[in-house]
Every structure is written in structure tokens, then in C-alpha cells.
């Protein structure tokens, strides 16, 4: 579900278990932005107050997990602080920064703010991105892939434009919207986050540190030699083409089977995103598991370490090939409300059937605990497939796991506990 403000100043993407929202007036604490590069727009207090009220109303009334991980009083305090800050005019960049930090407090990876329209357009049409993709280990920053021959793979980045790597990581990690208390995943979002304009490192850099005409990158190469490179920014399109370990993948391109020997195989699934280049997930798995059966493989390793989730069809379709009994991967859907308030409905849009999303029939739900509405429909059960694997299965997990990947892992843990075949 998308939510739009009447003030055409800023855009925010809010996604929960039942909604995706778009505001149109988001911005934050004023960083030292070079106005010759991007000219921030000054927002009036009336427009800011309107958008804050709309944002708060949408979150409190619609977001199913708004106070799941933090007490409501924490969010009340955060909104009160921002309302005081917004009592004087702010720039779009300043307001966006404040809203992005506020949304990160909800601890939902599907709830984050998009750029204001003007800033989004600017970054799409100007060279503003770092000329490399980064990997982060602890508080150390390394080059993964680069547009410059001066930044080889594995080079450590000591500082960028005078800001030390550890300071970059600490400051920008505050913007990362993690699920629950998986704070260890913040650096994963700094490395890559396909919801925004590049990784969180690239997306939030100009919001926290300002735009850069050049990048002064202090490095330490693999031999321990220190150096400095003065590099030009690159376009968002060029940044996306860098590829590497942090590049976004689709289900079909990120899934492959490797035969180690006649008895052992590795099934790597780096993404469940099956909406950009959709394929029939069951057909793909059936083909792969038929190969395992034909080769009489006894030990299968399923490598999900890079998988950040994606489409339910891609993750759920794997279950029939790993279970001996029917399995139901999810519980009934829960909503905070089943009817969007009339004052909000004009500010929301959706990818699906608007009437089914915004005002479904009361008969489809029942009241659950905590005042939630629980869908009466029984979630789908998946039956064992004829080609299911009957040998030993080991599942590799990692800090990049999120969303549908973590849901699948939880179900596999339950299957493993019951059968003793999965670990």
C-alpha cells in the first residue's frame, strides 16, 4: 500500500506486513550540503506539521508492527521531538533525515522513507554515487567492486572525504531499518539495500555528510601500503552495473546446484526475489531435486547466507522438497485495521485490488488478541513432493538473512527438530 501527502515536497516508502505507504513531505537535521550541487528546498512549518500528522496517523492506525518491538511511549517521544524540531522551517534534506531516523526506530526492514521527489530526480540524473561497492567487517570498510583501477578488490578504505571508516559505519548504521533486534544486520544494509537508491551507505551519505564533488579515498592495500585516491562520483546507473557480492539478485539468477561428488551437493539460493524476472519456482526446484535423486545424493547443503528474502512463492515452493509431511509455513494474516480511515484513504494506493486491501468484508476476519483482526482463511499447506530429498540436509545461514528467508529458516528448524534430518 502506498501513502501520499497532499504537500508535493517529499516521498516516503512505508511497508509493513499489511501496508506500504508513501508520504510526500519527508526531510531532516540539516547536514552541510553543497548548495551548488543540490539546492535543498525550504519547507514551511504548516506543510511539515501536516505531513507529520499524516505519517503518524498512518503508522498508528495501519502498521501491524508499529509497537511490536518498541513501546508506544518511545515512538510518542520520537514524534514529539520531531514536532518540536519542526516548529521552525526545515529543508527537505533536513526533514528527510529526521523522518528516516524515526522510522528506523520501528525496527521493520519494510518500513523506510524514500527520497523527496526533487532529490530522487537529482540523484537519478547527476553523478553522485561512490565509485565502488563496499563490504563491511566489524567497523572496517573494504572495496568489493570498483569503477576505478585505483581501488582493487580487497582494498581497505580508511576514510572517505576525511571521515574515518568506523565513523561512517556508526553514523550511517543509525538509518538502517532492521527487523526486530537483528542489529548485526545493519552493516548488511549499508552494503546493499535494493529498496533505496543503492546501498544504505550510498543512499544516506549525502543526507548525513553532504554531497561530494570529488571523493578523497584513503586506502590500505592488501600489502599494507597506505595511499590516497581522488575520484569522481559516478551515476546511479553506473553504480548498479558494478555487480559483485553486494549486487541485487533475482531468484532465477541466484539459484544454482553444485555437485561436489556423487554423495554431496550444494544448493545455493542467494535471493527469493521472483517478481523482476519471474519463473515458476516449483518447476525450477523440481528440476534440481530430480537431479539429486538421479545422482543418489545423500548429503545436501542449502546455502542461504546471502538471501535477504523476496517472494513467498520462491521460498515456500522449496518446502515440499524437504518435508515428509504437509507443512503450513505461516499463520493466518493479522491486521491492525481492516478498514482504512476515510481521511487516510485518499493518501494511500496499492499494487493490488484497492477495495480488498482498504475495506475487505468484515466476515473475512475475526478479532484476535491485542485487538488485531485475524484472517479467517486457512493459510496454504504444502504437501511433500514426489521428488523430495530424503537424505541429510544442512542449512547455512548468515547476517544477510531477512524477511522471507528468515521465515523459511524458522520452518526448516521445526522440520529438522521433528525429523532429525535437517540441521
Amino acid at each position: 500500500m502506498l501513502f501520499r501527502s497532499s504537500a508535493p515536497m517529499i516521498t516516503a516508502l512505508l511497508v509493513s506486513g499489511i501496508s506500504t505507504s508513501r508520504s510526500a513531505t519527508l526531510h531532516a537535521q540539516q547536514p552541510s550540503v553543497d548548495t551548488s550541487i543540490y539546492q535543498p528546498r525550504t519547507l514551511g512549518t504548516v506543510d511539515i506539521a501536516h505531513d507529520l500528522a499524516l505519517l503518524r496517523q498512518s503508522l498508528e492506525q495501519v502498521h501491524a508492527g508499529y509497537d511490536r518491538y518498541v513501546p508506544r511511549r518511545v515512538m510518542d517521544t520520537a514524534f514529539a521531538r520531531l514536532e518540536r524540531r519542526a516548529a521552525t522551517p526545515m529543508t527537505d534534506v533536513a526533514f528527510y533525515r529526521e523522518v528516516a531516523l524515526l522510522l528506523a526506530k520501528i525496527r521493520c526492514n519494510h518500513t523506510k522513507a524514500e527520497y523527496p521527489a526533487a532529490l530522487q530526480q537529482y540523484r537519478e540524473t547527476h553523478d553522485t554515487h561512490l565509485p565502488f561497492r563496499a563490504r563491511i567487517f566489524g567497523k572496517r570498510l573494504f572495496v568489493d567492486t570498483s569503477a576505478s583501477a585505483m581501488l582493487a578488490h580487497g582494498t581497505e578504505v580508511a576514510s572517505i572525504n576525511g571521515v574515518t571508516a568506523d565513523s561512517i559505519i556508526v553514523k550511517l548504521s543509525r538509518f538502517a531499518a532492521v527487523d526486530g533486534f537483528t542489529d548485526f544486520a545493519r552493516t548488511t544494509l549499508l552494503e546493499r539495500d535494493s529498496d533505496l537508491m543503492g546501498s544504505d551507505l550510498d543512499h544516506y551519505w549525502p543526507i548525513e555528510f553532504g554531497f561530494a564533488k570529488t571523493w578523497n579515498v584513503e586506502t590500505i592495500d592488501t600489502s599494507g601500503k597506505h595511499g590516497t585516491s581522488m575520484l569522481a562520483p559516478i551515476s546511479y546507473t553506473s553504480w548498479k552495473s558494478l555487480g559483485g557480492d553486494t549486487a541485487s539478485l533475482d531468484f532465477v539468477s541466484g539459484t544454482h546446484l553444485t555437485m561436489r561428488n556423487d554423495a554431496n551437493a550444494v544448493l545455493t539460493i542467494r535471493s527469493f526475489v521472483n517478481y523482476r524476472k519471474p519463473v515458476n519456482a516449483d518447476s525450477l526446484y523440481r528440476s534440481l531435486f530430480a537431479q539429486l535423486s538421479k545422482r543418489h545424493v545423500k548429503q545436501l547443503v542449502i546455502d542461504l547466507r546471502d538471501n535477504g528474502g523476496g517472494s513467498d512463492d520462491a521460498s515456500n515452493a522449496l518446502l515440499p522438497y524437504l518435508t515428509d509431511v504437509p507443512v503450513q509455513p505461516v499463520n493466518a494474516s493479522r491486521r491492525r485495521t481492516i478498514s482504512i480511515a476515510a481521511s487516510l484513504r485518499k493518501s494511500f494506493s496499492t499494487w493490488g485490488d484497492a477495495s480488498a486491501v482498504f475495506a475487505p468484508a468484515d466476515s473475512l476476519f475475526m478479532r484476535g488478541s491485542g485487538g488485531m483482526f485475524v484472517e479467517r482463511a486457512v493459510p496454504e499447506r504444502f504437501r511433500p513432493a514426489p521428488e523430495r530429498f530424503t537424505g541429510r540436509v544442512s542449512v547455512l545461514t548468515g547476517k544477510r538473512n531477512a524477511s522471507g528467508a528468515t521465515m523459511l529458516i524458522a520452518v526448516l528448524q521445526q522440520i529438522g527438530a521433528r525429523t532429525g534430518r535437517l540441521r
Side-chain angles (χ1 to χ4, degrees):
M1 186 189 322
L2 294 180
F3 138 69
R4 306 179 189 283
S5 160
S6 59
M9 298 180 186
I10 300 186
T11 315
L13 176 64
L14 307 174
V15 190
S16 70
I18 68 165
S19 71
T20 307
S21 320
R22 248 181 222 272
S23 166
T25 308
L26 308 178
H27 309 197
Q29 170 199 338
Q30 192 142 358
S32 55
V33 174
D34 184 338
T35 57
S36 67
I37 297 178
Y38 174 74
Q39 181 66 56
R41 303 177 62 190
T42 299
L43 308 179
T45 57
V46 173
D47 286 329
I48 294 174
H50 174 273
D51 265 25
L52 277 178
L54 186 60
L55 175 63
R56 185 170 187 172
Q57 183 184 12
S58 68
L59 290 170
E60 291 181 342
Q61 295 185 15
V62 178
H63 196 299
Y66 178 61
D67 51 5
R68 179 175 298 162
Y69 298 111
V70 294
R72 181 66 65 98
R73 66 177 182 276
V74 173
M75 297 308 300
D76 289 343
T77 299
F79 267 105
R81 174 188 171 278
L82 183 48
E83 287 163 356
R84 289 193 299 272
R85 170 75 178 85
T88 56
M90 303 170 67
T91 67
D92 56 357
V93 174
F95 187 34
Y96 176 82
R97 179 181 182 276
E98 293 293 336
V99 169
L101 289 171
L102 183 147
L103 294 179
K105 293 181 181 296
I106 297 174
R107 292 182 172 272
C108 172
N109 183 243
H110 292 292
T111 303
K112 56 194 70 173
E114 287 182 337
Y115 279 146
L119 183 54
Q120 177 82 15
Q121 182 180 25
Y122 183 86
R123 296 209 74 186
E124 288 175 346
T125 56
H126 292 75
D127 293 349
T128 61
H129 277 63
L130 283 161
F132 66 92
R133 286 178 179 264
R135 292 299 308 273
I136 297 173
F137 300 92
K139 293 184 180 179
R140 300 173 69 185
L141 190 66
F142 295 84
V143 174
D144 181 14
T145 55
S146 171
S148 171
M150 292 185 284
L151 295 180
H153 174 77
T155 298
E156 182 170 2
V157 176
S159 71
I160 302 174
N161 289 358
V163 186
T164 60
D166 60 340
S167 182
I168 292 170
I169 294 167
V170 169
K171 290 185 177 182
L172 296 188
S173 288
R174 297 175 301 156
F175 294 93
V178 296
D179 287 324
F181 296 100
T182 57
D183 293 275
F184 57 82
R186 291 184 186 276
T187 54
T188 296
L189 295 176
L190 292 185
E191 292 178 341
R192 64 175 182 178
D193 186 344
S194 57
D195 290 336
L196 302 172
M197 276 203 74
S199 66
D200 281 11
L201 171 62
D202 259 293
H203 183 86
Y204 292 114
W205 178 282
I207 305 304
E208 181 69 14
F209 301 115
F211 282 98
K213 289 184 177 180
T214 59
W215 297 110
N216 185 337
V217 183
E218 295 185 8
T219 59
I220 307 172
D221 67 19
T222 53
S223 68
K225 181 180 178 180
H226 290 249
T228 300
S229 299
M230 297 293 291
L231 304 170
I234 63 174
S235 69
Y236 179 39
T237 300
S238 297
W239 183 90
K240 288 189 291 185
S241 70
L242 291 177
D245 287 341
T246 62
S248 297
L249 289 172
D250 296 300
F251 170 59
V252 64
S253 60
T255 301
H256 60 271
L257 181 66
T258 303
M259 307 300 299
R260 295 297 185 187
N261 50 50
D262 287 340
N264 298 275
V266 178
L267 174 59
T268 301
I269 311 174
R270 296 188 62 194
S271 174
F272 287 130
V273 173
N274 196 30
Y275 44 81
R276 289 190 293 254
K277 298 177 181 177
V279 297
N280 185 301
D282 179 67
S283 295
L284 177 58
Y285 287 133
R286 188 184 309 120
S287 173
L288 296 177
F289 279 85
Q291 295 180 49
L292 296 176
S293 178
K294 184 177 181 179
R295 296 285 294 270
H296 303 290
V297 172
K298 303 300 182 184
Q299 171 72 40
L300 174 64
V301 176
I302 300 179
D303 189 350
L304 299 176
R305 288 175 294 177
D306 284 338
N307 198 311
S311 311
D312 290 343
D313 65 309
S315 57
N316 290 339
L318 179 62
L319 293 172
Y321 297 93
L322 298 174
T323 182
D324 299 321
V325 297
V327 60
Q328 180 180 299
V330 296
N331 295 322
S333 300
R334 299 193 310 158
R335 298 190 183 196
R336 190 175 293 277
T337 180
I338 59 173
S339 182
I340 306 299
S343 58
L344 281 180
R345 198 170 302 178
K346 62 182 180 181
S347 300
F348 280 69
S349 62
T350 181
W351 293 284
D353 179 357
S355 61
V357 173
F358 297 150
D362 292 353
S363 60
L364 298 177
F365 295 83
M366 58 185 176
R367 282 284 189 172
S369 59
M372 289 286 191
F373 291 87
V374 182
E375 194 171 18
R376 292 183 184 276
V378 177
E380 182 178 3
R381 292 173 67 84
F382 294 84
R383 298 185 178 280
E387 301 84 0
R388 65 184 178 276
F389 186 71
T390 58
R392 185 79 172 174
V393 179
S394 299
V395 181
L396 302 182
T397 65
K399 68 175 185 178
R400 292 184 177 181
N401 295 145
S403 192
T406 55
M407 294 171 65
L408 174 67
I409 291 167
V411 176
L412 294 180
Q413 284 180 323
Q414 295 172 11
I415 294 175
R418 187 185 68 247
T419 66
R421 291 195 304 103
L422 276 71
R423 58 188 177 128

